[in-house]
Amino acid sequence: MTSSITGFYRFAQAVLTPIMTPWVKIRATGTENIPEKGPYLLVFNHLSDVDPLCVCWYFMKRGVPVRFLAKKSMFGVPVFGKIIHGMGLIPVDREKNPSQALLPATRALNSGEVVCIWPEGTHTQEPDMWPMSFKTGAARLALDTGVPVIPVAQWGPQDIMDRFASMPNMRPGQKVSYTFMPPVKMDDLISEAGSKDHEAVEELTTRIRDAVTAGVEDLRGAKAPERIWKAYTKAGPWWEDEQKQKAKKAKKAAKRKKS
């Protein structure tokens, strides 16, 4: 069962209420797809450094504490580190291999918590702010725990704080839109192997990204590019052709059908 809001989380809610109430107006659709209680995994596209703040505020008003993944180094910052620890943020050590780095999040989900992750790994670098390629962390967590994956599309935080800005726009009435979509289908991918089934991990990652991207298309009233932007490669950002992705997906599906 999802834990109640206590401690630093309750303190943060008291501090944020007079700030966020006039500042950010969140419009959410598809809220019937949010489970009544945890555990479940929220997966968002990443637009701005204010994304976690807005998500935290939205779920605070619903009385649901959400656990966010944060870089381990942030927990060593004086004062701030204690605050985010008290609020239940989950440290991620990127120097460890993926299975070890995700252990704290796995434990949180197994304890009935709600965990939020941005699988792009950073706010989008795609020129027109479409979702980039997704890392596999969300799929690994889902396959290892069996919890529902709720894809969420968002639009608006980039107007509060541009991805390259150093300060947010503090004018009141900033608008943010969320679309909560049905849980991603993954019954056919779950097995005793969990995240060790690399084909299942890749397939579920594709399904999650496709769902989030479709939601962003609806919010923006536009079609996403057929090519997928990938970030943080040694050669810099590059495109991955959608046709190659589809061919790879079909090949994996055929192989899985034979087995």
Side-chain angles (χ1 to χ4, degrees):
M1 182 180 294
T2 306
S3 62
S4 59
I5 294 179
T6 58
F8 273 108
Y9 210 102
R10 186 178 295 280
F11 169 76
Q13 183 176 22
V15 172
L16 286 175
T17 296
I19 299 172
M20 298 295 292
T21 300
W23 184 29
V24 179
K25 306 298 182 183
I26 298 176
R27 173 183 174 271
T29 59
T31 54
E32 68 276 8
N33 294 314
I34 304 175
E36 292 184 5
K37 61 180 181 180
Y40 56 89
L41 187 63
L42 294 164
V43 180
F44 281 76
N45 58 306
H46 203 349
L47 295 168
S48 168
D49 286 344
V50 301
D51 287 355
L53 178 62
C54 293
V55 174
C56 183
W57 172 240
Y58 177 77
F59 278 91
M60 275 182 172
K61 292 191 293 182
R62 293 179 66 94
V64 178
V66 176
R67 305 287 301 278
F68 298 94
L69 276 63
K71 291 185 294 185
K72 184 180 178 181
S73 59
M74 294 175 63
F75 289 78
V77 178
V79 182
F80 178 71
K82 290 185 177 180
I83 292 174
I84 64 174
H85 176 76
M87 288 183 65
L89 271 71
I90 300 170
V92 176
D93 189 345
R94 294 184 177 179
E95 295 181 0
K96 292 183 177 180
N97 65 51
S99 59
Q100 290 180 317
L102 292 172
L103 277 177
T106 301
R107 286 194 289 266
L109 289 168
N110 285 334
S111 297
E113 303 286 346
V114 178
V115 173
C116 181
I117 186 171
W118 285 267
E120 291 162 280
T122 185
H123 51 64
T124 182
Q125 298 170 350
E126 202 278 334
D128 292 320
M129 303 198 75
W130 290 102
M132 298 189 296
S133 61
F134 278 17
K135 299 182 185 299
T136 60
R140 290 177 183 276
L141 286 170
L143 291 172
D144 284 337
T145 63
V147 305
V149 179
I150 310 300
V152 192
Q154 65 163 340
W155 192 246
Q158 75 281 356
D159 294 328
I160 300 175
M161 186 172 182
D162 183 79
R163 52 189 166 174
F164 305 119
S166 58
M167 292 294 291
N169 176 0
M170 296 301 297
R171 287 181 297 180
Q174 300 295 314
K175 296 179 180 179
V176 172
S177 296
Y178 292 153
T179 299
F180 294 88
M181 287 161 283
V184 177
K185 182 180 181 297
M186 62 179 191
D187 290 350
D188 59 319
L189 303 177
I190 294 178
S191 69
E192 292 183 1
S195 63
K196 292 180 181 179
D197 184 340
H198 301 300
E199 290 186 8
V201 169
E202 292 296 331
E203 172 62 21
L204 184 53
T205 299
T206 298
R207 292 182 189 182
I208 295 170
R209 185 193 178 276
D210 287 350
V212 172
T213 302
V216 175
E217 288 179 334
D218 288 342
L219 283 176
R220 296 181 63 173
K223 186 70 176 175
E226 290 189 355
R227 290 181 170 182
I228 301 171
W229 187 266
K230 300 192 77 171
Y232 289 141
T233 63
K234 290 183 179 179
W238 57 286
W239 293 104
E240 183 167 343
D241 195 285
E242 183 70 13
Q243 296 304 316
K244 290 181 180 179
Q245 280 286 310
K246 290 180 179 178
K248 188 189 299 183
K249 184 176 179 181
K251 185 177 179 180
K252 289 179 179 178
K255 185 176 180 181
R256 183 177 295 280
K257 189 175 182 180
K258 290 180 180 179
S259 61

